Amino acid sequence: MNVQTPVKTIYGNWGEKFASQWSGFVEHLQTAHAKSLEEIHLPATHMVDIPTAYVSKEGMQEVLRSLKEALGFSFLTDYTASDEGGEKRFQLILHLMSPQTKARVRIKIRIAESETVPTLIPLWEGANWAEREIFDMFGIRFEGHPDLRRILMDVRWEGHPLRKDYPLRGYQVFLTPEPLDPELFK
Amino acid sequence: MGKDGSSDFFTTRFEDVVNWARKNSLFPLPFGTSCCGIELMSTLASGYDMARFGAEVVRFSPRQSDLLIVAGIVNLKMAPVLRNIYDQMADPKWVISMGACASSGGIFNVYSVTQGIDTVVPVDVYVPGCPPAPEGLLNALLRLEERIANGETHSQRRIRAQKEGRP
Amino acid sequence: MKTENSKGLQTDLPLDVARWGVPATFDVTLKRDSDDVFEDSRVLVNIGPTHPAMHGAFRCMAKLNGETIEKSFCEFGYTHRAKEKLGENRTYHQFVVYTDRLNYCSALINNVTYAMSVERLMGIEVPERAVWIRMMCAELARVIDHLICVGISAVDLGAFSYFLYGYHQRERAYTLIEKLCGARLTTSYTRIGGLMADAPEGWERELKEWVKETREVVNEMDRLLTENRIWLKRTKGVSIFNKEDCLRYSFTGPNARAAGVDIDLRRDQPCMFYDRVDFDVPVAQNGDVFDRYYVRLEEIRQSLNILTQCADRIKKGPIWSEDKRTRIPDKEVVYNTMEGLIHHFKFFMTGFNVPAGEAYTPFEAANGELGFYIMSRGGPMAHRMRIRGPSFWHYQGLDPMVKGGFIADLVAALGSINVIAGELDR
């Protein structure tokens, strides 16, 4: 009994309900974006709840644009990252939803520690603060972001808290309130 | 005392009268940051009225209040702000640390949380609970009033020390 | 015509001032302070972290030209409690306590969502009675969250006694919740695979009485404000955020429904028994502050309907799923059998292992779509616990919403979006 077991009182069997949207998603990626697609994990074969596509960093913007415009997955539910360790240390994770059919999919992008990623603000305005949070918590920089600075932690904080090597109790004490950069307001 | 037994005036110490006036007319500054802030609002609302004890007028400006009720988490980002607000208040001033998060960091022993506001400001009364029930906060208020009447709070000791020329 | 007195100062206003604007002959040179941030007469107002209009500790700085906001800068992080990092360092059972403190105005919804998300990873089915109780808790929490939201937004605009009406009902609801689980605000009521304790005898009957009272109170509140001229002037047409903007900024919940986005996860992606109860989803057109207020008021009424239906249909039964991995043994078993004692010890000291996998479980919380994305590697603690808090995405929309409006409208807009600091900062 694991994530592949459909639970009647928690959404039931999405595999049946969204079969056509999910297979359309898989087909679209395999035909139109075969170069950028690295892997696809499907609920039937892997331990995931919705189809998860691993996309390369270079093709990321194109894939997402076509998913948003051609396939209707135009609602960005969540944009976050995770520290997996290994060669390509971080994974950027996007959850998309289609407002018409309510189907959900997940896109993941594996990147190494010091790589920079193109920003998704041209596609979704809401990605602005999500990218700032990813920068704050993981240290992943975004090219083309208008205002990449820390959002949850103090601007003077050193280190990126959600990385696995940052200790849970790594306190950093400040004696003065956060300084404001007047350049921001011009 | 007059011929029929009534008294027209009574003698006491000036200190006691002043303390009596101060404790019955506290002006709280609700420094509500998180969940305890909602219980603070409950205490100020009509169910558990804090106005019964004189603490009716909540003033959000430190220049106009004398009781700082820190209700909720105080981050390492917020701690200098708290100190700023405390410094802007005029003596005599009192601090109630409401809730587990303000008193000791609570369940959050993590990188971004001050483990107790007594590292930042001197606290007179701590209220345990997560969040403390409004009765707990009222109990703390009454305890604080007792301590003000006895002159035992940090602020009153400071005032006495200043008057006597001690550091 | 210009008249001057002995000091050379203009004493009469020229007659060509048709409107109360700055007349053409009025020559004003502002003396600039050396501390001024801006070259011209713009002012930077800091509505700092401790301010009554901020619901929690977050900061908004507005660049003002007179009273018009040209740009606003929002800053938060003053309540960041590192729940995502704590999720990686606490067992799944221990994390239930932290979920209450997310949206602390409706703690039961967070508990229910978290329990559902871990159960989804494990494939556990909870029995019917537990599901009905969870649904009732979620709708009760939704009602009290909306009561506080509309109350506080009214207080921000000056209508103080409105808040007290809603708050009285909230206190009665606290008594109900206290009967259920012992705590008023931070409940920690659900467990993975069940509930902490069964609802006491007669709880459903008291709930129905509370529902009847609250219906009348909501009608009273409606009569007080909805057609009040002052309220309408302050909220109609203020801070409009239309449908396209909502979708671009990932708005969900009542804020999006006020703009015409007809998505409600209870109806469109039903979980628990929402497909067996009847309710309507209020959707408005304009997306201004008044619509957000009115959608919430209507949602309170719909939630009260759901509560009555649940209270009528619930039957007696078990509240724990008998899955051996997550079933906390009862106290009689723990104290009287060796296996119970060992099981209890292992459960609380090391936690249970959740099979490897990942799942994103969204739920329609009071503010919008609350989602838990849990990546597990088979151990007792999560590898990544991501909390998608709706207030984070809503607060981002504040700047485009108030641009070009007045500073007084910033306060109205902030109250209407219902930003809760616990969800915003996690």
Side-chain angles (χ1 to χ4, degrees):
Chain A
M1 292 242 283
N2 48 32
V3 69
Q4 289 175 337
T5 327
V7 181
K8 273 199 305 305
T9 48
I10 309 175
Y11 301 126
N13 195 341
W14 269 356
E16 286 168 4
K17 213 168 147 196
F18 299 120
S20 57
Q21 285 92 4
W22 285 357
S23 57
F25 167 75
V26 173
E27 237 178 79
H28 177 89
L29 284 179
Q30 282 171 341
T31 50
H33 301 280
K35 241 180 344 127
S36 325
L37 184 68
E38 293 171 8
E39 287 176 63
I40 278 203
H41 289 189
L42 293 171
T45 47
H46 291 89
M47 295 297 193
V48 288
D49 57 332
I50 50 181
T52 305
Y54 289 79
V55 172
S56 74
K57 186 183 76 157
E58 292 75 27
M60 174 181 143
Q61 270 183 327
E62 199 194 304
V63 170
L64 288 167
R65 187 180 297 276
S66 80
L67 279 176
K68 178 182 176 193
E69 284 156 17
L71 279 189
F73 289 107
S74 57
F75 192 85
L76 177 71
T77 313
D78 196 13
Y79 188 12
T80 180
S82 166
D83 182 357
E84 299 289 318
E87 164 80 50
K88 292 228 160 194
R89 186 179 180 184
F90 296 119
Q91 274 184 11
L92 285 173
I93 304 162
L94 284 122
H95 286 93
L96 299 173
M97 182 180 93
S98 153
Q100 287 79 30
T101 60
K102 317 289 183 303
R104 291 176 190 267
V105 293
R106 186 180 297 132
I107 307 280
K108 287 197 184 186
I109 300 134
R110 289 193 184 107
I111 53 173
E113 189 163 336
S114 47
E115 281 182 40
T116 63
V117 182
T119 177
L120 290 179
I121 296 180
L123 290 171
W124 290 286
E125 291 274 355
N128 191 331
W129 281 10
E131 292 177 349
R132 278 178 66 187
E133 191 193 338
I134 296 175
F135 167 64
D136 191 0
M137 294 282 127
F138 291 94
I140 302 172
R141 303 199 79 93
F142 290 86
E143 311 157 355
H145 196 283
D147 180 23
L148 194 68
R149 60 196 158 93
R150 287 189 183 267
I151 194 172
L152 285 173
M153 311 307 302
D154 198 303
V155 278
R156 299 162 283 185
W157 200 273
E158 286 165 15
H160 296 281
L162 271 177
R163 291 188 175 190
K164 292 290 181 190
D165 47 1
Y166 193 92
L168 179 64
R169 305 204 180 131
Y171 310 108
Q172 293 178 29
V173 180
F174 304 107
L175 297 174
T176 53
E178 202 179 28
L180 278 177
D181 185 9
E183 287 306 307
L184 280 177
F185 306 124
K186 296 267 186 294
Chain B
M1 214 178 342
K3 285 221 175 108
D4 56 353
S6 63
S7 53
D8 297 323
F9 58 89
F10 58 92
T11 56
T12 178
R13 293 187 338 170
F14 184 62
E15 273 293 319
D16 285 345
V17 174
V18 166
N19 284 341
W20 171 83
R22 279 181 178 155
K23 80 175 188 180
N24 282 322
S25 64
L26 295 166
F27 277 33
L29 198 175
F31 195 92
T33 38
S34 59
C35 346
C36 283
I38 306 291
E39 285 295 36
L40 180 62
M41 276 162 41
S42 284
T43 319
L44 291 167
S46 47
Y48 302 90
D49 203 1
M50 214 150 80
R52 300 181 269 170
F53 302 106
E56 167 157 23
V57 169
V58 291
R59 289 289 182 236
F60 285 91
S61 162
R63 305 285 191 197
Q64 298 170 8
S65 57
D66 57 9
L67 172 63
L68 178 64
I69 307 184
V70 182
I73 197 90
V74 174
N75 258 354
L76 291 168
K77 193 170 172 182
M78 187 62 149
V81 175
L82 172 64
R83 182 74 213 181
N84 231 343
I85 300 273
Y86 180 76
D87 287 338
Q88 285 177 346
M89 287 165 75
D91 255 336
K93 52 192 173 187
W94 300 288
V95 178
I96 291 185
S97 152
M98 177 180 176
C101 288
S103 311
S104 70
I107 53 178
F108 298 103
N109 190 356
V110 289
Y111 55 83
S112 61
V113 169
T114 316
Q115 302 295 305
I117 60 166
D118 44 11
T119 53
V120 179
V121 293
V123 175
D124 293 308
V125 181
Y126 298 84
V127 192
C130 191
E135 292 105 351
L137 183 61
L138 292 174
N139 184 25
L141 196 72
L142 293 172
R143 287 269 185 105
L144 180 68
E145 288 187 3
E146 253 178 58
R147 308 197 74 193
I148 296 176
N150 296 335
E152 295 169 350
T153 54
H154 292 286
S155 175
Q156 284 164 319
R157 288 199 193 121
R158 213 178 11 223
I159 297 174
R160 275 201 295 270
Q162 263 178 1
K163 268 203 223 143
E164 294 166 15
R166 284 185 278 130
Chain C
M1 61 175 207
K2 214 166 153 191
T3 51
E4 284 184 351
N5 64 5
S6 55
K7 294 195 184 124
L9 292 172
Q10 189 175 4
T11 51
D12 281 327
L13 274 177
L15 292 170
D16 58 2
V17 181
R19 305 163 282 118
W20 272 106
V22 178
T25 51
F26 214 84
D27 180 25
V28 179
T29 38
L30 292 168
K31 273 202 307 263
R32 201 168 74 81
D33 204 335
S34 53
D35 279 340
D36 266 351
V37 179
F38 301 113
E39 288 288 326
D40 45 20
S41 58
R42 297 198 176 22
V43 174
L44 184 73
V45 160
N46 175 36
I47 308 180
T50 53
H51 191 268
M54 301 282 119
H55 313 288
F58 37 89
R59 190 176 183 189
C60 201
M61 290 171 275
K63 176 178 173 188
L64 296 180
N65 178 8
E67 283 250 341
T68 317
I69 300 177
E70 292 200 343
K71 204 169 172 212
S72 61
F73 314 89
C74 301
E75 207 194 299
F76 51 98
Y78 297 98
T79 0
H80 179 59
R81 291 181 273 194
K83 298 209 175 93
E84 300 193 352
K85 188 114 185 140
L86 276 170
E88 300 170 11
N89 288 293
R90 298 279 182 269
T91 66
Y92 290 93
H93 175 75
Q94 286 171 332
F95 195 69
V96 176
V97 171
Y98 295 102
T99 57
D100 294 318
R101 277 94 176 151
L102 281 170
N103 181 345
Y104 36 77
C105 297
S106 55
L108 286 162
I109 292 187
N110 308 326
N111 289 338
V112 165
T113 313
Y114 176 69
M116 270 179 15
S117 56
V118 180
E119 285 160 12
R120 188 148 178 240
L121 265 181
M122 299 178 79
I124 296 178
E125 184 94 55
V126 274
E128 268 205 30
R129 185 173 166 87
V131 175
W132 285 115
I133 296 183
R134 280 183 185 179
M135 262 178 83
M136 285 199 283
C137 289
E139 292 308 310
L140 185 62
R142 194 187 309 274
V143 170
I144 59 181
D145 193 319
H146 285 329
L147 279 175
I148 219 186
C149 173
V150 298
I152 295 284
S153 59
V155 167
D156 282 346
L157 296 180
F160 184 67
S161 51
Y162 188 84
F163 165 71
L164 291 177
Y165 282 86
Y167 225 84
H168 184 66
Q169 283 312 109
R170 208 183 137 91
E171 287 287 330
R172 310 291 298 275
Y174 275 167
T175 315
L176 272 176
I177 296 176
E178 209 172 9
K179 290 207 165 107
L180 188 64
C181 63
R184 288 155 52 101
L185 189 75
T186 49
T187 50
S188 305
Y189 180 53
T190 56
R191 298 283 180 269
I192 321 281
L195 296 170
M196 175 182 115
D198 204 347
E201 215 33 71
W203 188 76
E204 293 93 8
R205 204 177 2 103
E206 286 175 19
L207 181 71
K208 284 208 281 205
E209 280 169 27
W210 178 83
V211 163
K212 234 188 318 186
E213 274 172 29
T214 310
R215 239 190 263 278
E216 286 170 23
V217 168
V218 168
N219 287 339
E220 247 181 84
M221 285 162 76
D222 199 359
R223 276 199 301 270
L224 269 178
L225 272 192
T226 308
E227 306 203 339
N228 186 326
R229 261 205 307 201
I230 306 178
W231 183 254
L232 288 175
K233 267 247 142 96
R234 287 243 26 206
T235 56
K236 268 237 186 268
V238 164
S239 306
I240 295 188
F241 211 61
N242 57 21
K243 196 169 166 178
E244 290 77 35
D245 289 330
C246 280
L247 289 173
R248 275 199 345 245
Y249 280 89
S250 302
F251 268 41
T252 49
N255 295 331
R257 287 196 282 276
V261 176
D262 192 7
I263 298 181
D264 184 338
L265 293 177
R266 293 175 293 170
R267 177 195 58 190
D268 302 326
Q269 237 171 32
C271 61
M272 300 199 268
F273 293 141
Y274 279 107
D275 44 2
R276 300 191 200 176
V277 290
D278 280 318
F279 61 100
D280 292 320
V281 174
V283 176
Q285 299 301 342
N286 300 328
D288 54 11
V289 171
F290 180 78
D291 278 346
R292 282 178 226 131
Y293 149 79
Y294 203 62
V295 160
R296 288 200 165 95
L297 215 55
E298 278 301 318
E299 277 193 14
I300 297 181
R301 294 197 175 109
Q302 296 304 320
S303 290
L304 294 173
N305 287 343
I306 300 180
L307 275 172
T308 339
Q309 291 174 55
C310 291
D312 286 332
R313 291 188 203 187
I314 191 170
K315 295 189 197 30
K316 289 211 180 304
I319 51 166
W320 275 101
S321 127
E322 290 302 328
D323 190 320
K324 284 201 175 34
R325 295 173 291 177
T326 55
R327 173 72 157 102
I328 302 179
D330 292 329
K331 287 300 181 207
E332 300 84 43
V333 174
V334 170
Y335 291 141
N336 294 321
T337 64
M338 185 54 105
E339 294 78 22
L341 187 67
I342 296 176
H343 188 191
H344 182 274
F345 182 79
K346 292 246 23 149
F347 185 94
F348 286 103
M349 293 304 278
T350 55
F352 51 88
N353 289 336
V354 167
E358 55 193 63
Y360 174 70
T361 313
F363 183 65
E364 178 80 24
N367 257 345
E369 179 180 322
L370 173 68
F372 278 85
Y373 172 57
I374 309 183
M375 288 171 79
S376 156
R377 282 191 178 171
M381 301 186 193
H383 173 75
R384 173 85 170 100
M385 171 84 70
R386 159 75 180 172
I387 305 166
R388 191 254 185 213
S391 299
F392 182 78
W393 301 83
H394 295 169
Y395 193 42
Q396 193 173 22
L398 183 73
D399 183 22
M401 233 189 246
V402 297
K403 218 184 263 273
F406 294 131
I407 184 93
D409 294 339
L410 178 92
V411 174
L414 198 58
S416 70
I417 315 179
N418 200 21
V419 184
I420 308 266
E423 254 177 350
L424 180 64
D425 294 336
R426 285 159 273 124

